[in-house]
């Protein structure tokens, strides 16, 4: 349990170390390979490597592939990896066993479920020809929706503020497509409330859990969501470009083909028949042969979260995550006042994911670079005139400590006080994911 | 150079060892990890592991991911891996630099190019509403086509024999979709001739190179093909479920969006703008974030083929492949006569890929199992009443020797003579890929 009074009173590195000493999840950190001299606040972009992963990959290559060769599809369980990893992920997102598969990328999986949701509405409510989303949604989600609207003659309606949702959900809307936790601001939707409102308005709901799975408790079945997809390489620690995951509500899953109807989604893939016949259940959302290396690494990543189950699971991780983000936001206010930083993420805990974003009118990019040079890795997201440039800091409770938060804020304070972020070397822009 | 006379005269293990001693490609075998006691004739299903791969994966995990973390997207070149591996593959298939990317699965890439080809015809020849393929095509290709025909109201027309092609290519045909080398029989189309005939009939051509890339010379630009896709885990040795590849003719590539319009295919992926704007060139066929582990392993796999370039490249590999398959077919005829085996693959070298298939009325499955028990790994493909059950043997010239061919046939001869394939243990069926 987090001691709320000790958290609110923490005003020194020693105070933060005391919080760590009392942190019931402190042992989870040992599962990870954290580089020397780095405070990693970018697990919402790429999670840290579990110590178990390189050895697992050695076994998959040298033994399973190298020695077992083709026989390992059966003997090493390769063919079952999407379901195996999917079942583990299901436990983190309020889905049932057999309802999730790990496969393909988030974008591809979104195409599948959005296609299925639109098909469902073409049968149930063919006059509904609008997809609603947020302009501030992660761009690839909007791009995938645009691919579908072009092919099938739908309209994509983008809102600028969640407050516009009730008005946007009119009788034309087929599907509401939202990312649960906003990738820029960390603002979190109330999944149950929004789903219920969308259903009342006759729309189906597709949730992108890229910044939720493994970061905040999610209850897909409890919220009666229709479809969900999410990312394997952020809070699930599956490694760069890890397979993503996909879920469909059991009451919809057998109703439709998704159009990426490949052989891994066939009811009898080894009969090699010329006609497609979709597998029962979520297996029909598989398509082609999947990366065994990627799935094995994802499996190791998800295991680091399941290790929290005896300690309280996602609820305990969420409590620590909120304590970390609350502490960070407060210390920034106290330590970094007067330098033009503003908090972009919601202050209310129930509306905040596992990240804290700060805006700065002119220096956001350079400040992030100056912090990286000091070993504090966050990231920068550009504004666009309406939205400000932001410094983005992700807090992964499984491997971050309260002392990390203190030290990160101390480094940020020094970057601001020294003015070192104004050096030309920190203004040179590179591609950053 | 293969000594054709010595090849035709080889009638003992010593003769085959002499062929190996004179094989200019014999050194390529050292690049691979071949298990003790195994003769691997299934590289057309899953290629053998290059020795370089496990170390490369250790570097990608322990150094690039473990230490570099998010910084490795730039510093370790992760973002460029699809183009880097794609450029290497381009050299094997007669495509230009910058024309190929390695990404997603074969099925997903087929969906992209088939969608683009159909879009092209909707503009150029909207009355054409038929996709032609072979009933004997690899099933996932047909399944993907079926996903598209359902969504867009096309008809899939399947021929039973390549001889029916001229008649099938009528004025209704939008796209001809073929696998260059048949996955069951090893029969190979003449790419230039078929493409030319299809174009003369007003159809666009999509080639699946799953059993061609790295196995036989391919000249996409020379054949004036329209689109091509292929597999990374067969003759390219990229590992189980390796990323696939995709090519579009330079004259088409910028004409269309493909509908899987994800952020990696955006003209400016790091601007995070809400509107999709496709990248120039083949990069628009990228979609979501790709498996770095999978791409790194694929890169190692393709390198094993590029190592043949100073020795004559694909032409030299093809000459050896034909010598291996010719020797195998002849030795089977001589050593295994009278046991009911029949050659299914074409005898004419120019019509044969890099595999040899045999049919047997009742024992194909059990014979393959009995061979596997003896360390000779081929695979079984079930018949369907029209097509026979087959024993399938793939010959990868980069790591197989003439002595392997001799020993494999000797084992097959013993399996047949002893009748051991009739044992119950070899009739028990498992899923086999």
């Amino acid at each position: 349990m987090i001691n709320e009074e000790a958290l609110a009173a923490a005003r020194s590195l020693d105070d933060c170390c005391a919080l760590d000493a009392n942190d019931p999840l402190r042992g989870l950190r040992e599962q990870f390979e954290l580089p020397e001299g780095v405070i990693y606040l970018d697990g919402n972009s790429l999670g840290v490597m579990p110590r178990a992963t390189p050895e697992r990959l050695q076994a998959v290559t040298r033994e399973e592939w190298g020695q077992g060769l083709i026989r390992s599809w059966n003997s090493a369980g390769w063919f079952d990896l999407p379901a195996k990893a999917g079942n583990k992920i299901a436990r983190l997102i309020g889905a049932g066993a057999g309802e999730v598969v790990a496969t393909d990328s988030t974008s591809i999986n979104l195409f599948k479920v959005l296609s299925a949701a639109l098909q469902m509405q073409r049968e149930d409510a063919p006059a509904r020809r609008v997809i609603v989303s947020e302009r501030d949604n992660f761009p690839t989600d909007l791009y995938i929706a645009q691919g579908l609207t072009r092919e099938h003659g739908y309209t994509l309606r983008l809102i600028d503020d969640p407050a516009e949702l009730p008005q946007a959900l009119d009788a034309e809307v087929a599907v509401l497509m939202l990312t649960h936790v906003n990738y820029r601001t960390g603002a979190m939707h109330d999944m149950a409330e929004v789903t219920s409102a969308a259903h009342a308005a006759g729309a189906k709901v597709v949730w992108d859990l890229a910044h939720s799975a493994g970061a905040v408790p999610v209850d897909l079945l409890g919220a009666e969501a229709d479809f969900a997809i999410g990312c394997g390489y952020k809070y699930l620690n599956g490694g760069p470009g890890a397979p993503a995951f996909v879920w469909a509500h059991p009451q919809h899953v057998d109703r439709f083909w998704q159009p990426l109807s490949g052989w891994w989604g066939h009811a009898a893939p080894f009969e090699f028949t010329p006609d497609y016949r979709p597998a029962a259940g979520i297996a029909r959302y598989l398509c082609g042969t999947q990366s065994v290396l990627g799935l094995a690494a994802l499996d190791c990543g998800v295991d680091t979260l399941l290790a929290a189950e005896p300690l309280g699971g996602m609820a305990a991780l969420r409590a620590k995550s909120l304590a970390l983000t609350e502490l960070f936001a407060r210390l920034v206010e106290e330590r970094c006042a007067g330098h033009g930083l503003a908090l972009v993420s919601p202050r209310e805990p129930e509306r905040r994911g596992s990240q804290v974003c700060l805006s700065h009118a002119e220096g956001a990019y350079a400040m992030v670079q100056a912090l990286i040079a000091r070993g504090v890795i966050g990231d920068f997201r550009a504004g666009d005139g309406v939205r400000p440039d932001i410094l983005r800091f992700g807090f992964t409770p499984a491997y971050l400590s309260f002392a990390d938060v203190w030290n990160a804020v101390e480094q940020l304070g020094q970057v601001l006080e020294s003015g070192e972020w104004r050096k030309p070397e920190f203004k040179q822009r590179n591609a950053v994911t």
Side-chain angles (χ1 to χ4, degrees), chain A residues 286-365:
Chain A
L286 298 172
C287 179
T289 310
Q290 291 300 300
S291 169
V292 168
L293 301 172
L295 286 164
L298 175 62
D299 194 59
C300 293
V302 179
D303 281 345
T304 64
L305 292 156
L306 298 187
E309 285 187 344
L311 305 167
M314 284 308 307
L317 287 163
R318 172 65 169 164
K320 181 172 172 190
S321 155
L322 284 175
L324 292 168
T325 52
E326 170 62 29
L327 178 66
F328 182 82
R330 177 172 64 75
L331 291 178
V332 166
E333 281 175 354
E334 293 174 4
R335 174 75 175 80
C336 306
H339 290 283
L341 288 173
L343 181 70
V344 174
S345 303
R347 201 67 212 245
E348 312 91 299
E350 69 279 7
R351 291 193 48 231
R352 189 170 69 232
S354 200
Q355 70 184 59
V356 175
C357 297
L358 308 171
S359 65
H360 193 275
E362 45 164 340
Y365 182 84

Side-chain angles (χ1 to χ4, degrees), chain A residues 151-424:
Chain A
E151 294 260 320
H152 293 284
Y154 286 85
T155 302
L156 181 59
R157 181 185 293 167
L158 300 180
I159 60 173
D160 289 305
D161 191 294
E164 298 167 29
L165 256 188
Q167 199 184 335
L169 290 170
D170 62 23
E172 294 183 313
V173 179
V175 176
L176 173 62
M177 173 187 86
L178 291 174
T179 297
H180 182 221
V181 175
N182 185 283
Y183 82 105
R184 280 174 53 88
T185 65
M188 181 165 70
H189 289 286
D190 183 320
M191 183 179 287
E193 190 180 292
V194 171
T195 303
S196 172
H199 285 173
K204 303 299 176 193
V205 191
V206 171
W207 288 102
D208 180 344
L209 305 179
H211 292 265
S212 310
V216 301
V218 174
D219 186 3
L220 288 170
L221 288 168
E224 298 186 358
D226 297 299
F227 299 94
I229 50 110
C231 177
Y233 54 80
K234 298 178 185 292
Y235 293 100
L236 299 185
N237 308 309
F245 63 87
V246 56
W247 171 85
H249 195 286
Q251 74 187 10
H252 307 321
V253 71
D254 285 331
R255 238 183 108 180
F256 305 99
W257 280 26
Q258 52 85 14
L260 298 173
S261 43
W263 78 294
W264 269 37
H266 195 279
F270 295 104
E271 288 181 7
F272 296 100
T273 55
D275 289 315
Y276 185 71
R277 198 169 81 245
I282 196 67
R284 70 176 57 187
Y285 283 80
L286 298 172
C287 179
T289 310
Q290 291 300 300
S291 169
V292 168
L293 301 172
L295 286 164
L298 175 62
D299 194 59
C300 293
V302 179
D303 281 345
T304 64
L305 292 156
L306 298 187
E309 285 187 344
L311 305 167
M314 284 308 307
L317 287 163
R318 172 65 169 164
K320 181 172 172 190
S321 155
L322 284 175
L324 292 168
T325 52
E326 170 62 29
L327 178 66
F328 182 82
R330 177 172 64 75
L331 291 178
V332 166
E333 281 175 354
E334 293 174 4
R335 174 75 175 80
C336 306
H339 290 283
L341 288 173
L343 181 70
V344 174
S345 303
R347 201 67 212 245
E348 312 91 299
E350 69 279 7
R351 291 193 48 231
R352 189 170 69 232
S354 200
Q355 70 184 59
V356 175
C357 297
L358 308 171
S359 65
H360 193 275
E362 45 164 340
Y365 182 84
M367 289 171 187
V368 167
Q369 298 309 310
L371 278 171
I372 290 173
R374 286 167 170 265
V376 179
I377 302 182
D379 61 24
F380 165 77
R381 287 293 178 265
D384 58 7
V386 180
R387 305 174 303 178
D389 282 357
I390 59 172
L391 303 82
R392 191 176 77 150
F393 302 100
F395 293 85
T396 305
Y399 50 76
L400 288 176
S401 68
F402 294 95
D404 287 333
V405 172
W406 177 271
N407 289 325
V409 176
E410 179 55 31
Q411 296 292 326
L412 177 58
Q414 291 181 23
V415 163
L416 296 168
E417 278 169 3
S418 67
E420 73 190 49
W421 61 273
R422 296 181 190 275
K423 289 183 190 171

